[in-house]
Amino acid sequence: MIPLQASDLARVVGGTLAGDDVLVRGGVQTDSRLVEPGDVFVAMPGEVTDGHRFVATAVAAGAALVVCERPIDDAVPHVVVPSGLAALQALAAHVVAAIREGCTIVGITGSNGKTTTKNMLQAILERHGETVSPVKSFNNEVGAPMTMLRATSSTRFLVLELGASREGDIASLVRIAMPDVAVVLKVGLAHAGEFGGVERTQRAKHELVRDLPADAVAILNHDDDRVAWMAERTAARVRWFGLEAVDGGLWADDVDSSIDGTTATVRRGDDAWPMTLRILGEHHVMNALAALSVADELGVAIPDAIAALESMVRAERWRMELLRPESGVVVINDSYNASPDSMAAALRTLAHVSRSSAARSVAVIGAMTELGDSQVEEHDRVGRLVVRLGIDRLVVVGAGAKAVHDAAEHESSYGQETTYVETSDQALALLRATLQPGDVVLVKSSLSAGLKDLGDAVGGVA
């Protein structure tokens, strides 16, 4: 964060300072376990606990200033505010305004691919200037401001991942940061249960570009009709990307994948650039095109940007992460997030790479969450897709995903190839007893299904 006097910080957040008017030079934390000497600790009530319970821990760790919703007895200087969340967001808006002149702000949203695209942009832009992007997938009303607060006067690129649980969430974050470049990747069924349907998801994602000024740029997925719809509903200049030829934009063909990665040819007009990603899955080509479009807009040469992408070993921990344990099996651990779209993409990747290497394919599937009334229907679709793709073995874990097993079992002649177990421990025992060297295993679920550790265990990660 930029340095601030405690009195100035109190003014910015609309609070009252108690104690010394210290100069704050550290970062901002909402988790007392992450506080380092000189940091600001923002105490907020949460869904599970109340940050005010951990003020003493933060002070002991060296917090220079506490922002809190009620007076505290500690000797540390503190600013009392009506709302810790509102204070956090106001402080983030102040920092963004202070650094905007020398910094380009990029916002990314979409039902799938935000974190991968963010990581791709980090890999590209950090070669050209100090780049700040979210830790993991910090993208909500707390996480996005926390990313903004990591920016300093030397930050040249600030990349924000903007997610939403309801309509209005992204709009509120846009008001804080107002991106210079905004990317919309895809509108799908991820979180559709929370929104109440894909149409409302579309409106929520549209908030990223809806209020942009005319001198901003909206980079939109030409292949997704729900994203293309946004082009007529923004004042920003529009750039397209996709797998079909698009005027003036980047597109790709010759897309292929193997167990060693993904290849494609990136094109613009008469220009063409080969690209070989070590990241597994043809669907990541779209994420790469989005990142390359931002880089191109910011003046980075396409060959240089592609070279940065080709240096990436993985998209993110537990996202299409390739593991090669001593057992001789190949594990694709993609158990950090799951939606109907990302589930289908991962299964198609499994089917394709296993066929290309003449290997047996094994899908280990856990529940997809936040699908609302379509929960059973979408899991049923997954089970039938497994059969249609010819995946050799299916293991379904947990009651939330049982419809996957039921659908696969009901398909003709597939009953002997699918197994349902209730727990990850049961799945691990089954896999260890039945996997053979050379098998390609996909472990795919939402994070709350708890399969990431199962994927690591099968993949030989301690």
Side-chain angles (χ1 to χ4, degrees):
M1 188 180 74
I2 60 175
L4 276 177
Q5 290 290 148
S7 56
D8 291 331
L9 187 149
R11 175 182 51 78
V12 166
V13 302
T16 303
L17 174 64
D20 294 339
D21 188 10
V22 295
L23 176 64
V24 180
R25 295 182 177 274
V28 178
Q29 298 294 347
T30 59
D31 186 337
S32 62
R33 296 167 297 183
L34 302 179
V35 170
E36 297 182 355
D39 283 353
V40 177
F41 176 62
V42 181
M44 294 188 295
E47 294 181 1
V48 178
T49 188
D50 188 339
H52 293 81
R53 295 177 52 197
F54 304 100
V55 168
T57 303
V59 172
L65 182 70
V66 174
V67 177
C68 46
E69 295 184 2
R70 54 182 179 265
I72 58 177
D73 295 330
D74 244 290
V76 68
H78 57 281
V79 175
V80 181
V81 295
S83 164
L85 176 60
L88 184 77
Q89 294 177 343
L91 186 57
H94 176 78
V95 169
V96 169
I99 60 119
R100 178 176 290 279
E101 185 175 347
C103 180
T104 298
I105 300 168
V106 180
I108 304 168
T109 196
S111 297
N112 307 107
K114 295 185 295 295
T115 299
T116 297
T117 304
K118 171 263 296 186
N119 288 341
M120 287 177 165
L121 269 176
Q122 176 74 38
I124 294 169
L125 296 178
E126 67 186 2
R127 299 183 175 198
H128 301 274
E130 181 181 299
T131 302
V132 171
S133 65
V135 176
K136 298 181 180 177
S137 55
F138 279 17
N139 61 27
N140 63 8
E141 59 186 1
V142 175
M146 290 290 290
T147 301
M148 300 174 204
L149 288 167
R150 289 172 42 223
T152 68
S153 58
S154 60
T155 301
R156 185 174 174 192
F157 305 107
L158 174 59
V159 180
L160 302 173
E161 185 180 332
L162 305 179
S165 297
R166 63 192 68 83
E167 290 186 68
D169 282 358
I170 292 176
S172 68
L173 296 173
V174 168
R175 284 192 292 272
I176 296 172
M178 194 53 71
D180 302 296
V181 181
V183 181
V184 185
L185 298 166
K186 185 177 182 62
V187 174
L189 287 172
H191 311 294
E194 290 185 336
F195 285 109
V198 70
E199 293 79 12
R200 299 182 80 171
T201 304
Q202 179 184 27
R203 292 200 297 271
K205 301 304 181 184
H206 167 234
E207 292 170 8
L208 178 56
V209 299
R210 183 187 64 197
D211 299 326
L212 293 180
D215 60 352
V217 179
I219 295 177
L220 304 179
N221 178 351
H222 186 267
D223 297 354
D224 187 323
D225 290 342
R226 290 190 174 93
V227 177
W229 168 88
M230 301 176 191
E232 308 253 329
R233 293 163 177 82
T234 180
R237 175 167 55 87
V238 172
R239 283 192 57 154
W240 300 105
F241 67 93
L243 296 180
E244 299 176 359
V246 289
D247 272 348
L250 295 176
W251 57 285
D253 60 7
D254 302 327
V255 179
D256 196 10
S257 63
S258 71
I259 203 64
D260 296 313
T262 307
T263 59
T265 301
V266 177
R267 300 184 184 275
R268 183 183 55 199
D270 295 330
D271 296 322
W273 302 273
M275 179 175 67
T276 301
L277 302 175
R278 286 191 271 180
I279 298 172
L280 192 62
E282 294 183 6
H283 53 293
H284 286 310
V285 171
M286 289 295 282
N287 300 329
L289 287 171
L292 291 170
S293 297
V294 175
D296 186 42
E297 186 65 35
L298 300 183
V300 178
I302 296 295
D304 292 345
I306 288 175
L309 296 184
E310 291 178 334
S311 73
M312 295 178 66
V313 176
R314 63 187 178 198
E316 174 91 340
R317 188 82 165 91
W318 302 303
R319 295 177 190 263
M320 296 300 285
E321 182 177 15
L322 193 65
L323 304 172
R324 295 178 182 269
E326 292 181 0
S327 64
V329 302
V330 177
V331 177
I332 305 167
N333 193 350
D334 193 25
S335 49
Y336 192 87
N337 207 351
S339 68
D341 291 330
S342 69
M343 183 70 78
L347 287 169
R348 290 189 181 101
T349 298
L350 171 65
H352 181 76
V353 301
S354 58
R355 279 197 300 269
S356 66
S357 58
R360 187 173 71 144
S361 53
V362 180
V364 183
I365 303 299
M368 302 178 288
T369 57
E370 301 174 350
L371 293 176
D373 293 340
S374 55
Q375 187 85 10
V376 173
E377 178 186 357
E378 293 302 329
H379 284 86
D380 181 275
R381 289 179 191 273
V382 170
R384 298 181 191 280
L385 179 61
V386 167
V387 176
R388 289 200 302 273
L389 291 173
I391 291 170
D392 297 306
R393 182 74 192 276
L394 173 64
V395 178
V396 178
V397 187
K402 190 171 186 298
V404 177
H405 165 74
D406 292 342
E409 191 172 46
H410 290 156
E411 290 290 294
S412 174
S413 74
Y414 202 79
Q416 294 180 337
E417 304 297 335
T418 179
T419 304
Y420 169 72
V421 296
E422 294 185 348
T423 69
S424 292
D425 288 343
Q426 292 172 330
L428 181 59
L430 174 66
L431 292 168
R432 283 179 168 165
T434 58
L435 289 179
Q436 305 166 9
D439 288 352
V440 181
V441 184
L442 168 70
V443 182
K444 177 70 174 173
S445 71
S446 291
L447 182 62
S448 59
L451 298 198
K452 67 180 180 65
D453 293 333
L454 171 63
D456 280 351
V458 179
V461 177

